[in-house]
């Protein structure tokens, strides 16, 4: 009896330490504007194996399917291996696989409105399961139970086909996300003698020239196959190889390929193990072999990895908040994802293959978003290996960049030139200043300086000459000027810490350039012409492409001086004026404004736009004006209105973890307003208790006494048992371990944190 | 004085041993149907740097420009780096460079009929120089003297621009040979910080999916550049990188790229050193560095290499014949060309990168043509390294073939599936039987058997079942049946020599399969249906695609039983009937036939078609019928009518050396009718004296006493001073060294070589 029980336990999943694993809900953000995906992925995994509900988008409506899956859609088109988590523009959806049962195997996806018109299938959310590293659904039309799991560089499908029906897979190389006509430049399929299937696809999408390779092994032998080209208008087809007139070729290449793979009737579920590589097919094959085991083994290993990664924090909070926060942590641990092969090779910005020297190359850098809170969060919960590898990847990306500069928006090693700034710079500086090592700091500083002085990029030539980006030479000039000035300040900070005083002085001077874009008359950051005049007409509420601003207007961008909010507030007329202007922003009557023409403008509170990044630090700025209780009130307002533990629970694109990292920090009661300052502005916690399990065994605990509905203000704060009268804590204080204790109350404490010396970092008043 | 003289000598080209170098005329075959190119190439070089006179062909008329250059054309469009020598179908013309002088730099080639309408330029043949490894021309419109040379993996251009005018190059990645719409799948350009230019192009041409990379260094610094995309109708262009709105980008990718490269006014000629690689840009860069020096140094090294290679024979013949024969030897030493990088890496038939283990991978295998005389010639004049590397390349090609079989028509590692048969098999067998080693003979035999038994290829499934290829299942079935049977015989020969008796017996049986396609009633080789009946209607003079035959008709194909001509002649009714039928073929009145619809049908003598390969052994078959004097008469007739030392001097495509190898052997007085038999049928010499300088220092000398116009018959033959009464010599007799002496006379010696035992090999009567 006892023996039988032990055997039964051994067959079940390995016993796990309790953690946030079960509280994560990957469906959060898969509806609304979140653009997250529900499928299977390992922490920072190269493979994101997830259902695509519709890839048939055309131009404008692609946006809604940026992550392939849309919660409201009635059908699943298939399961593809690459997805961004929360991107505002998109690509990927590589190598779509769909099971089909029975004799008829459609090779077109069909119309979602016409059931059984193609290989797509209806499904019910009741039949779905999504966990970190695991996704399952029943495909109603095919009668197939589909399960997905993923390792670092592999994805494993498991399909239980209905008894008595032939099992098939469709592998559709024509399917892709943001699949504009002409996107698929080339693709190929090759069946090896041992039954392994390899292939490649070259696409012209967001990355204008991207190659991805795959290798697939099946748990059952193929009984037949067809590699079909549906391309029309091929002027010259060359000579025919073996299998003339047949689709049962050993290989096929073309611009529109779809494969039918037959397995006959199966007595066991079919497992399909897929590895990817940006390098070559040999890389994909080696990646396939580098992670041992089948579905259950990969799933268990990834579950273990997630349990460990999510164990960075132990949370005690109301169930909906715990769900939101653990899911936020989960979403923040997806990118920058592994982009290099198991053997160290990777494809760089020059589209050539290089070898990472003793580390794993990572990509998916959405830096305009993620320099704010996502990278500071990683520097806290994954400081050494992950952050060090990120910095090494950035340095190597610059080394192999045709322009000799750091990444802007890169994935799979390929640059997209999306958004503005050189925000790899604050990521590196923040990591270095936090004591994270394992990279060549001199090479890093060289790369940062090179990126900040490369004249052909984003008006940097004029910026260096004039002290601002002129709007008659370069669009979105106001946003660029203020963001460059902040990035410059982080270069100065790192250079000073390295003793490179010449560089520090040069960039400290540039850090004040935001002043050149501030208009004291209107009180807004605005764009100047090369002549020096501000561009007119000026409408602080207008949001347009090619305007003075990037995805925003003067209201959001006038707060972007994280290196020197104190000086900004002075130019605005002092703290009181700043507070009044902040209030005016949040309380703005936007009922008559229509921003539906602009992507990424979602989550409005007046002119505060939580769904997009320029606003993310703004609620904390009351701290800088000596009014932390206003920060607390605004955070209460934002968290209540912008996050829900439901599919439509993110008010904007998650942006590769930035929206989630904002919530995670905010939930714990502090936020990195100024990466590079080594400080976190204190807000208000949304947890009863949180223990950060720091890498060296230390623990930093946040406790909120009196946490209850309505107790939305901080009465007092204590650090390690001593009263904390300032509205910030430092990175060192967290890393040293200890307890940060809040007392929550119904009414604001309007005196706490008001003293000038109590406010977070500003370079004007910094004494270091 | 003496010192100065020595210095002057040292500056000039190295002193060379007298050889055929100066007698080679690369223009032979550049007019008419020869499809050779006049440009610079090293022996078996990867780079064929040659002028393209017009790459603007559309579908049908591409044929005339298969080698890029056509002697009759009035303009040169540019100089590209890859060309086939004499192919009947085409591709290549990669990376076209054209110098332009002055301020206006057109980026389109312009119309050849409208001078100065584009970057193309008029030229005069009087200004052209072509030598092995060297080509020069004056571009009249640009006023530029252009010189080309090539090493193994590099090509070097040298352009002398007119004084006082700015120097530019146009690099047109849109230009290609057989440039059907849609051929250019993708291309890219990248300018490195040190001025090196790299790039790639992926094409869908004869090879349905081919990538080629280049690296270029210039002797003068770039003063400016534009990378221009002329592609229209790009649905989605992505985001703009640095240099927004400018073409002065560090990199550009697209489907239609052209680069303008500026050098300002130059006081020295501009040298442009280009390396290629099928592997990657790193491979191209390494290949660039692997061959030291500039134009003069590379030219001198290649001249030395040609002098040595052409030194395989010392000829004494009338000047026109010496020119034709040395040029023939030159043309036979161009392919199979080096396709692997200096570091051993190469791209295989699976489109993946592999490493050659201690040898250099070669490709450009036009095997249906070259198994006949080109490979036997290489086995004689380049036996060890070249032939051994060829066999190793064939074995590795099979190893990495998606179909697991040997190449059919491969270049740059990529299979085209052109023509029929598995003629890598006789190439390997002939080499092995001639004692050439340095490869894995077991792997070779495995590859040969695999290729001969792969059912999906060319009707081999039915061939194995029925003993012939049925025409209702597979086109060109008669040609396939007889060619397979010969290939099978060579497998048997090699297997027997290796002691693999089981394999030998299997393929000896198959070697008789030609009988299943011979129709005794009509006396022709014909195609049968699967039912066993011959297909009707039957017209022995019809030449059509998809007919019973490959590029020919019953007249040519009915002689293809090289392994057993004796048995064939018996089925035809005996030697007399065979001689009569041979005469009927040559003497056929073709004045009413029109074969202009079929490519590659050129050089007709009755129904004998010297411009295409199936006829190549036919004139020697009189030897097999005991009438060598008829062979001698026919050779006199063929050489006089089919070869001239002029641009239109080849009556058909040179086919990667096969037309030339035929002439070379024939000029020396013998020909390999049956590769694998170790015999050469004796014809009649066209030289006064020829010394084959064999690799181990031995010499084999052919002397023709009494050689004079009208003395077209062989009176007697002596080998090493003893009368030779048989109409063949053996490979061993040649390799042993010695003298083959012919006495030429006006009247035929009808008794010589008539005895049955005096005739060349037939398996029916072979006693081994």
């Amino acid at each position: 009896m006892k023996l039988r029980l032990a055997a039964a336990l051994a067959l079940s999943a390995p016993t796990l330490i309790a953690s946030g694993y079960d509280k994560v809900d990957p469906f959060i953000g898969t509806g609304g504007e979140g653009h997250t995906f529900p499928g299977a992925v390992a922490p920072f995994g190269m493979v994101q194996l997830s259902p695509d509900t519709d890839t048939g988008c055309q131009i404008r409506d692609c946006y809604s399917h940026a992550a392939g899956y849309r919660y409201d859609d009635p059908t699943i088109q298939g399961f593809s291996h690459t997805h961004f988590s929360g991107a505002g523009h998109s690509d990927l959806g590589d190598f779509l696989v769909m099971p089909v049962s029975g004799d008829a195997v459609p090779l077109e996806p069909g119309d979602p409105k016409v059931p059984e018109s193609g290989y797509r299938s209806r499904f019910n959310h009741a039949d779905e399961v999504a966990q970190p590293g695991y996704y399952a659904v029943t495909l109603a039309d095919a009668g197939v139970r589909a399960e997905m799991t993923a390792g670092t560089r592999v994805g494993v499908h498991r399909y239980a086909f209905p008894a008595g029906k032939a099992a098939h897979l469709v592998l559709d190389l024509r399917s892709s996300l943001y699949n504009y006509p002409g996107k698929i430049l080339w693709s190929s399929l090759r069946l090896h003698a041992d039954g392994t299937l390899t292939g490649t696809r070259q696409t012209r999408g967001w990355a204008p020239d991207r190659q991805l390779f795959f290798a697939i092994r099946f748990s059952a032998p193929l009984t037949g196959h067809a590699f079909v080209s549906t391309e029309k208008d091929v002027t010259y087809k060359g000579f025919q190889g073996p299998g003339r007139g047949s689709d049962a070729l050993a290989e096929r290449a073309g611009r529109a390929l779809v494969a039918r793979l037959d397995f006959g009737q199966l007595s066991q579920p079919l497992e399909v193990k897929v590895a990817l590589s940006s390098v070559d097919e040999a890389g994909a094959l080696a990646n396939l072999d580098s992670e041992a085991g089948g579905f259950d083994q990969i799933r268990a290993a990834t579950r273990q990895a997630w349990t460990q990664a999510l164990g960075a924090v132990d949370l005690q909070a109301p169930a909906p908040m715990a769900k939101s926060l653990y899911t936020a942590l989960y979403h923040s641990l997806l990118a920058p994802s592994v982009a290099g092969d198991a053997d160290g090779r990777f494809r760089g910005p020059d589209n050539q293959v290089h070898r990472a020297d003793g580390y794993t190359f990572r990509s998916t850098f959405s830096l305009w978003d993620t320099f704010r809170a996502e990278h500071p969060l990683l520097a806290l919960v994954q400081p050494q290996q992950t952050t060090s590898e990120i910095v090494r990847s950035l340095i190597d990306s610059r080394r192999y960049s045709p322009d000799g500069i750091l990444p802007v928006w890169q994935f799979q090693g390929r640059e997209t030139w999306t958004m503005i700034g050189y925000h790899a710079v604050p990521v590196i500086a923040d990591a270095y200043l936090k004591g994270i090592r394992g990279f060549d700091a001199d090479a890093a500083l060289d790369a940062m300086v090179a990126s900040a002085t490369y004249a052909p990029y984003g008006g940097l030539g004029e910026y260096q000459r004039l002290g601002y980006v002129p709007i008659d030479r370069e669009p979105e000039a106001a946003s660029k000027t203020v963001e460059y000035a902040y990035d410059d300040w982080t270069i100065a900070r790192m250079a000073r810490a390295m003793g490179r005083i010449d560089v520090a002085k040069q960039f400290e001077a540039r850090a004040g350039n935001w002043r050149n874009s501030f208009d004291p008359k209107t009180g807004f950051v605005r764009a100047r012409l090369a002549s020096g005049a501000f561009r007119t007409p000026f409408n602080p509420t207008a949001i347009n492409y090619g305007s003075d601003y990037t995805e925003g207007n003067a209201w959001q961008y006038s707060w972007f001086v994280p290196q020197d909010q104190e000086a900004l507030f002075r130019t605005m007329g002092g703290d009181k004026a700043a507070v009044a202007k902040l209030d005016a922003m949040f309380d703005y009557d936007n009922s008559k404004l229509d921003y539906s023409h602009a992507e990424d403008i979602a989550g409005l509170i007046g002119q505060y736009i939580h769904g997009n990044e320029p606003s993310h630090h703004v609620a904390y700025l009351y701290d800088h004006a000596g009014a932390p209780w206003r920060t607390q009130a605004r955070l209460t307002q934002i968290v209540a209105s912008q996050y829900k533990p439901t599919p439509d629970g993110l008010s904007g694109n998650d942006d590769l973890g930035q929206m989630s990292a904002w919530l995670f920090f905010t939930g714990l009661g502090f936020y990195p307003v100024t990466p590079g300052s080594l400080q976190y502005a204190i807000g208000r916690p949304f947890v009863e208790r949180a223990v950060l399990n720091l890498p060296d065994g230390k623990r930093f605990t946040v406790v909120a006494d009196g946490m209850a509905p309505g107790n939305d203000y901080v009465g007092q704060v204590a650090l390690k048992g001593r009263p904390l009268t300032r509205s910030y804590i430092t990175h060192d204080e967290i890393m040293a371990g200890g307890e940060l204790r809040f007392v929550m109350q119904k009414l604001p404490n309007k005196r706490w944190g008001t003293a000038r010396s109590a406010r977070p970092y500003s370079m004007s008043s910094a004494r270091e």
Side-chain angles (χ1 to χ4, degrees), chain A:
Chain A
M1 285 292 281
K2 211 174 168 184
L3 266 171
R4 286 175 62 95
L5 183 64
L9 281 174
L11 285 172
S12 68
T15 308
L16 295 165
I17 305 152
S19 86
Y21 182 89
D22 294 326
K23 302 199 178 68
V24 173
D25 180 3
F27 286 113
I28 293 179
T30 60
E33 303 284 326
H35 292 187
T36 59
F37 61 83
V41 57
F44 306 107
M46 177 189 284
V47 172
Q48 304 87 28
L49 178 50
S50 188
D52 294 330
T53 53
D54 200 352
T55 71
C57 74
Q58 292 294 330
I59 317 294
R60 288 296 303 178
D61 65 340
C62 289
Y63 182 71
S64 63
H65 288 78
Y69 180 96
R70 194 154 181 88
Y71 197 80
D72 298 337
D73 283 349
T75 66
I76 284 174
Q77 188 172 326
F79 304 93
S80 72
H81 297 81
T82 53
H83 297 87
F84 295 118
S85 183
H89 198 80
S90 205
D91 197 329
L92 303 177
D94 296 296
F95 313 134
L96 181 128
V97 170
M98 186 65 173
V100 175
S101 58
D103 296 331
V105 185
L107 295 181
E108 298 297 329
D111 185 341
K113 293 182 198 114
V114 184
E116 299 175 47
S117 61
Y119 61 68
R120 70 168 72 238
S121 175
R122 286 166 287 186
F123 73 109
N124 295 307
H125 289 307
D127 295 327
E128 275 184 310
V129 178
Q131 295 169 347
Y134 180 77
Y135 172 84
V137 68
T138 299
L139 300 167
D141 292 326
V144 170
R145 182 65 180 171
E147 298 176 284
M148 312 283 139
T149 191
T152 298
R153 296 179 184 86
V154 302
V156 193
H157 313 231
R158 183 163 62 192
Y159 297 113
F161 287 88
K165 285 195 167 182
H168 311 273
L169 297 178
V170 172
L171 169 61
D172 197 337
L173 297 189
R174 303 164 305 180
S175 183
S176 178
L177 301 179
Y178 274 54
N179 200 6
Y180 299 153
K183 176 176 179 182
I184 313 294
L185 290 169
W186 198 244
S187 59
S188 68
L189 286 163
R190 188 155 57 93
L191 186 60
H192 299 239
D194 69 355
T196 304
L197 181 66
T198 57
T200 181
R201 189 163 74 172
Q202 187 177 1
T203 50
R204 169 186 232 174
W206 192 9
D209 179 6
R210 179 174 67 94
Q211 292 169 73
L212 193 66
F213 302 83
F214 68 83
I216 309 184
R217 290 213 187 94
F218 306 97
S219 63
L222 275 173
T223 59
H225 77 279
F227 294 165
V228 178
S229 171
T230 61
E231 191 179 0
K232 294 186 182 76
D233 305 325
V234 182
T235 307
Y236 173 81
K237 293 193 179 179
F239 293 77
Q240 290 187 315
R244 178 191 305 272
S246 146
D247 291 320
L249 308 165
E251 63 166 355
R252 187 147 211 170
R255 300 186 74 188
L257 297 185
V258 56
R260 192 200 72 228
L261 306 165
D262 310 324
F263 299 90
Q265 292 188 22
L266 297 173
S267 55
Q268 302 272 339
L270 177 68
E271 292 193 11
V272 182
K273 189 172 175 183
V274 182
L276 302 183
S277 168
S278 293
V279 171
D280 55 22
E281 287 186 15
L285 285 165
N287 289 345
L288 193 64
D289 291 331
S290 73
E291 293 177 61
F295 191 95
D296 289 325
Q297 198 173 338
I298 299 286
R299 183 186 176 189
T302 295
R303 186 184 172 108
Q304 186 66 42
W306 272 121
T307 301
Q308 191 183 332
L310 296 165
V313 68
D314 295 317
L315 292 178
Q316 195 180 315
M321 181 55 66
K323 195 179 192 183
S324 286
L325 289 177
Y326 272 118
T327 304
L329 182 58
Y330 165 78
H331 280 144
S332 75
L333 298 174
L334 299 180
S337 46
V338 167
D341 282 356
D343 67 1
R345 292 186 304 156
F346 66 92
R347 191 169 289 273
D350 54 357
N351 211 5
Q352 301 302 300
V353 175
H354 307 285
R355 192 174 289 274
D357 182 18
Y359 79 99
T360 298
F361 182 76
R362 289 164 183 257
S363 192
T364 318
F365 289 114
S366 183
L367 291 158
W368 181 81
D369 303 298
T370 56
F371 81 89
R372 301 165 202 264
E374 162 70 12
H375 284 284
L377 178 56
L378 295 180
L380 200 58
V381 300
Q382 297 252 337
Q384 197 44 49
Q385 196 198 338
T386 298
T387 301
S388 171
E389 284 193 353
I390 286 169
V391 176
R392 295 190 70 174
S393 301
L394 291 170
I395 295 170
D396 267 354
S397 290
R398 182 258 168 163
R399 182 176 169 197
Y400 301 119
S401 155
D403 293 281
I405 62 175
L406 287 159
V408 175
W409 210 125
Q410 182 200 77
F411 68 97
Q412 292 179 1
R414 311 294 293 126
E415 184 54 72
T416 70
W417 302 114
T418 309
M419 309 309 294
I420 64 167
Y422 29 98
H423 300 303
V425 158
V427 171
I428 299 171
D430 191 50
Y432 181 82
L433 293 163
K434 286 175 176 165
I436 294 165
R437 294 293 181 270
F439 55 87
D440 180 341
D442 289 315
L445 190 66
D446 285 352
M448 294 158 75
V449 170
S451 304
T453 55
Y454 184 59
Y457 174 70
L460 270 176
E462 281 95 350
Y463 173 77
Q464 292 175 89
R465 231 175 359 259
L466 302 171
Y468 62 92
V469 177
I471 189 68
D472 41 350
R473 302 283 162 78
E474 179 79 16
E476 307 177 6
S479 296
K480 285 173 186 171
T481 299
V482 296
E483 292 192 8
Y484 294 176
Y486 162 70
D487 289 348
D488 292 341
W489 170 79
T490 67
I491 297 176
R493 291 275 289 181
M494 177 161 159
R496 201 162 275 280
M498 289 172 66
R500 296 281 298 275
I501 306 303
D502 52 332
V503 175
K505 286 186 170 167
Q506 178 192 353
F507 284 91
E508 277 156 8
R510 286 174 48 156
N513 278 343
W514 62 272
R515 295 172 193 273
N516 299 330
S517 248
F518 189 85
D519 173 21
K521 204 177 279 179
T522 58
F524 287 107
V525 162
R526 294 176 57 187
R528 280 185 201 272
L529 302 165
S531 68
F534 287 105
R535 178 161 80 162
T536 54
F538 171 63
N539 174 359
T541 67
I543 297 180
N544 289 303
Y545 293 106
S547 76
D548 294 3
Y549 310 98
T550 300
E551 293 185 356
N553 64 26
W555 275 107
Q556 297 95 47
Y557 258 99
S558 293
W559 303 106
F560 194 81
V561 190
Q563 72 277 28
D564 206 350
Q565 300 291 163
E566 181 181 318
L568 174 70
F569 292 174
R570 273 201 305 271
T571 66
M572 285 181 168
D575 294 342
K576 269 198 178 167
V579 167
K581 197 178 182 82
L582 285 166
D583 281 340
M585 178 186 190
F586 279 96
D587 299 335
Y588 194 97
D589 176 8
N590 63 23
S591 59
K592 285 180 192 136
L593 296 173
D594 179 8
Y595 293 147
S596 61
H597 60 284
E599 280 180 359
D600 252 326
I601 304 302
L604 268 68
I605 303 175
Q607 280 290 345
Y608 176 88
I609 301 177
H610 193 72
N612 207 15
E613 277 65 18
S615 294
H616 275 192
H617 68 305
V618 174
Y620 285 93
L621 295 187
Y622 293 100
D623 278 7
H624 295 73
W629 69 275
R630 301 291 305 136
T631 289
Q632 296 155 28
R634 292 300 178 194
L635 295 177
T636 303
Q637 184 183 11
I638 295 167
V639 169
S641 61
Q642 306 296 314
Y643 293 94
K644 284 183 294 183
T646 54
D648 62 343
L650 296 177
S651 65
N653 310 149
D654 198 52
D655 285 324
L656 288 301
Q658 168 59 25
M659 278 288 279
S660 286
W662 186 95
L663 182 66
F664 189 84
F665 273 120
T666 296
L668 265 59
F670 49 88
Y671 184 85
V673 168
T674 312
S677 71
L678 302 178
Q679 294 184 3
Y680 302 83
I682 290 175
R684 54 146 294 189
F686 290 82
V687 295
E688 287 151 16
R689 182 187 176 85
V691 181
L692 281 171
N693 297 303
L694 300 168
D696 52 4
K698 296 208 173 85
R699 288 170 173 212
F700 183 75
T701 305
V702 173
V703 181
D705 290 334
M707 175 69 74
N711 280 357
D712 295 326
Y713 289 100
V714 172
Q716 43 185 297
V717 185
L719 180 65
K720 285 188 171 178
R722 288 201 236 171
L724 189 75
T725 57
R726 48 181 156 89
S727 64
Y728 66 90
I729 55 167
T730 70
H731 187 70
D732 287 349
E733 286 166 350
I734 293 174
M735 299 309 277
E739 186 191 80
L740 181 69
R741 184 174 286 263
F742 293 86
V743 177
M744 302 303 294
Q745 60 188 37
K746 205 172 264 338
L747 295 175
N749 177 347
K750 297 187 179 176
R751 294 185 316 276
W752 180 78
T754 54
R756 187 151 296 277
S757 64
R759 303 179 190 174
Y761 178 92
S762 281
M763 72 180 285
S764 311
S765 60
R767 299 282 175 277
E768 284 171 291

